[in-house]
Amino acid sequence: MNKREKMMEKKSFISVTVIMLLIQMFFLILTMLIFLYSSYKAGDDERKRMMENFFQIYNHQLENKIENGDHILQRIIYNNPEYDMIKSKNEAERYHASVSLKKLLQEPIANKMDIDALVIAEAENEICLDAVAEGVLSKQRDLLRSFVLECAREGNAKAVWNYKELGRITYIYKMYVWNKKATGIFISADNFMNTIENSNLQEMT
């Protein structure tokens, strides 16, 4: 074998070696890309599952609060002679009804039922009763009372869950308005979100 043939053989060997290295590098990169994609896909699926679980917990908490609020309002309004007596022409009867209703409003607040305020207003005699949670400032309390009393003056309204901003605080609320009387339950958005954050989030995992 002459010198030229040896040089050609050497170049050929180097070329094959380079090609083999490139092929190996290609498969290594491909393997890494597959691994990264699989990891991302698994993480993405996990994030989606966690978000779905979070919204399930969120909706469950909201449903519980709404159901609880409905029960409280129904207890105050239905089959309650004192609630009807608050419109009595007799001042002594109105006073007696106001004392009984005030105690009834205070019970859910005292039991820490995640309610910010309960308010009853009667427009003809300008009566307004309330119970508010600890931490509700007097200015905020006045805004809630004024809002419910104004609704009572309007006469009648459909009782549905809604939201209202009062004094830069957003409330989820429901109010029964009938025959110049209004009774409302208020849960602040912050209060509601704190309940979500304090829930057992291990259910999400």
Side-chain angles (χ1 to χ4, degrees):
M1 182 180 294
N2 58 36
K3 189 175 180 180
R4 184 176 180 182
E5 288 175 342
K6 287 182 179 180
M7 289 292 294
M8 292 294 292
E9 185 177 350
K10 188 176 180 180
K11 287 182 179 179
S12 177
F13 175 76
I14 293 172
S15 297
V16 170
T17 303
V18 171
I19 291 171
M20 292 298 293
L21 287 172
L22 289 173
I23 291 172
Q24 288 180 357
M25 188 177 293
F26 170 78
F27 281 110
L28 179 62
I29 292 171
L30 181 61
T31 302
M32 289 179 64
L33 289 173
I34 292 172
F35 172 77
L36 289 172
Y37 175 76
S38 300
S39 299
Y40 174 79
K41 190 70 170 67
D44 191 49
D45 291 342
E46 180 66 15
R47 283 191 294 273
K48 287 180 180 178
R49 187 175 69 84
M50 289 182 68
M51 289 302 296
E52 288 173 358
N53 289 343
F54 174 79
F55 285 119
Q56 286 177 2
I57 293 171
Y58 184 94
N59 288 332
H60 180 66
Q61 290 289 336
L62 179 59
E63 288 171 2
N64 284 346
K65 280 187 173 290
I66 287 174
E67 184 177 352
N68 181 46
D70 286 335
H71 287 324
I72 291 170
L73 286 174
Q74 288 167 12
R75 186 183 171 204
I76 294 170
I77 294 169
Y78 297 123
N79 299 318
N80 186 354
E82 280 82 10
Y83 188 71
D84 296 326
M85 198 182 296
I86 201 173
K87 284 181 64 69
S88 173
K89 293 181 180 180
N90 185 298
E91 185 176 353
E93 289 183 347
R94 292 199 305 270
Y95 175 78
H96 172 76
S98 297
V99 172
S100 297
L101 289 172
K102 179 74 173 180
K103 291 180 180 178
L104 193 58
L105 294 178
Q106 289 172 337
E107 287 179 13
I109 302 295
N111 291 331
K112 307 292 184 182
M113 300 181 74
D114 298 320
I115 300 165
D116 284 84
L118 284 163
V119 184
I120 296 175
E122 195 279 312
E124 290 181 355
N125 296 290
E126 293 290 313
I127 296 172
C128 195
L129 310 170
D130 68 79
V132 298
E134 184 180 352
V136 176
L137 301 177
S138 59
K139 182 178 180 181
Q140 200 64 30
R141 178 183 179 182
D142 291 341
L143 288 172
L144 290 164
R145 289 167 59 94
S146 297
F147 174 59
V148 178
L149 186 57
E150 184 62 32
C151 291
R153 291 186 183 118
E154 291 177 2
N156 304 319
K158 188 175 180 180
V160 294
W161 283 95
N162 208 331
Y163 69 93
K164 177 76 174 179
E165 184 175 329
L166 295 168
R168 297 185 179 180
I169 296 179
T170 301
Y171 292 95
I172 300 168
Y173 79 96
K174 186 174 185 178
M175 194 177 324
Y176 283 87
V177 183
W178 178 256
N179 195 23
K180 298 294 182 177
K181 292 186 296 185
T183 302
I185 185 169
F186 297 83
I187 306 168
S188 71
D190 287 343
N191 187 346
F192 175 70
M193 290 309 298
N194 286 338
T195 302
I196 298 298
E197 292 170 3
N198 294 332
S199 298
N200 185 4
L201 297 181
Q202 290 180 353
E203 295 178 33
M204 296 170 57
T205 60

